[in-house]
Amino acid sequence: MAIRISRRSNTYDARNNRLTSRYLFLPHSDFGFRITDLGSRFMAFPLSKNPIPQRIVHGTTIEILRTIFPSIIPMFIAIPSFALLYSMDEVVVDPAITIKAIGHQWYRTYEYSDYNSSDEQSLTFDSYTIPEDDLEFGQSRLLEVDNRVVVPAKTHLRIIVTPADVPHSWAVPSSGVKCDAVPGRLNQISISVQREGVYYGQCSEICGTNHAFTPIVVEAVPRKDYGSRVSNQLIPQTGEA
């Protein structure tokens, strides 16, 4: 049985050989350039004409200076940057309300610390994802919860984030908020919601099988309606618990 070789394969081989020979030439050309550059330097700065090198372009002093000065410039940039990073972690304004968000597998517990009068009477509630079969018209799938976090608009808030089991995250992208919940630590963030509305978020840390079923819903209401919403909706739920 004869084997037929097409002209296309011969053309491809010829083109491949030309490319190979061209790229193999590059290392040789680079070596030649370096040899030429080195030779020109020997001719421009011979020892007989320059027995003592000029201190402007040669010498230990200039080498030390041009090494130290570039390292000092990042230090001047880093000092205000560190101050800004540390200040971002601190609550600059005295918060009006403090809310503690505790992550669980796979739900969240919220505690309004300002309304805790004793261990028996605390404003605490759990927030679970509403199953797809129980959603009402207009509610978003995998984003709606049974108990929303009600906050007053145009008010400085402090959110304390911590987990009860594995690492979680409290993230609300529409509010520019993301804080990791690390076991054994209390992380805090400060927010101020400027407009009334409903803001959705989700856990952004892989926390287990039902990681996608732990949404966050923050509802910002006017200040005059905040007190009634808290007393009428949240307190009866904690009483039933």
Side-chain angles (χ1 to χ4, degrees), residues 82-96:
F82 282 124
L84 179 61
L85 289 174
Y86 280 108
S87 63
M88 290 175 61
D89 292 335
E90 297 295 333
V91 179
V92 180
V93 182
D94 188 17

Side-chain angles (χ1 to χ4, degrees), residues 165-180:
D165 34 45
V166 298
H168 295 274
S169 181
W170 202 84
V172 183
S174 55
S175 298
V177 176
K178 180 183 181 298
C179 183
D180 293 336

Side-chain angles (χ1 to χ4, degrees), residues 35-57:
I35 291 296
T36 304
D37 180 65
L38 184 61
S40 63
R41 290 177 184 272
F42 277 113
M43 295 177 62
F45 303 99
L47 179 61
S48 59
K49 295 182 180 181
N50 299 281
I52 301 176
Q54 299 180 2
R55 297 185 180 273
I56 299 177
V57 295

Side-chain angles (χ1 to χ4, degrees), residues 7 11 16 21 44 76 79 96 100 115 215:
R7 294 182 179 179
T11 305
N16 190 21
S21 59
F76 284 100
I79 292 175
K100 186 177 182 181
Y115 306 111

Side-chain angles (χ1 to χ4, degrees), residues 53-129:
Q54 299 180 2
R55 297 185 180 273
I56 299 177
V57 295
H58 300 284
T60 306
T61 304
I62 190 65
E63 295 290 342
I64 294 175
L65 291 178
R66 72 180 186 183
T67 303
I68 292 179
F69 279 124
S71 63
I72 294 177
I73 296 175
M75 293 178 59
F76 284 100
I77 300 176
I79 292 175
S81 300
F82 282 124
L84 179 61
L85 289 174
Y86 280 108
S87 63
M88 290 175 61
D89 292 335
E90 297 295 333
V91 179
V92 180
V93 182
D94 188 17
I97 299 174
T98 300
I99 302 175
K100 186 177 182 181
I102 306 174
H104 300 269
Q105 290 182 314
W106 288 270
Y107 65 97
R108 299 183 185 276
T109 300
Y110 295 97
E111 177 183 329
Y112 286 67
S113 306
D114 299 313
Y115 306 111
N116 291 349
S117 57
S118 63
D119 294 338
E120 298 178 356
Q121 297 179 355
S122 61
L123 189 50
T124 306
F125 63 94
D126 296 330
S127 180
Y128 289 88
T129 307

Side-chain angles (χ1 to χ4, degrees), residues 124-144:
T124 306
F125 63 94
D126 296 330
S127 180
Y128 289 88
T129 307
I130 297 180
E132 186 175 357
D133 297 336
D134 298 337
L135 289 175
E136 299 179 358
F137 180 77
Q139 291 182 337
S140 302
R141 175 179 174 270
L142 298 181
L143 288 176
E144 196 60 58

Side-chain angles (χ1 to χ4, degrees), residues 195-214:
R195 294 181 296 179
E196 294 87 0
V198 180
Y199 301 86
Y200 295 93
Q202 290 180 307
C203 180
S204 57
E205 290 288 341
I206 303 300
C207 56
T209 306
N210 295 330
H211 161 70
F213 303 96
T214 54

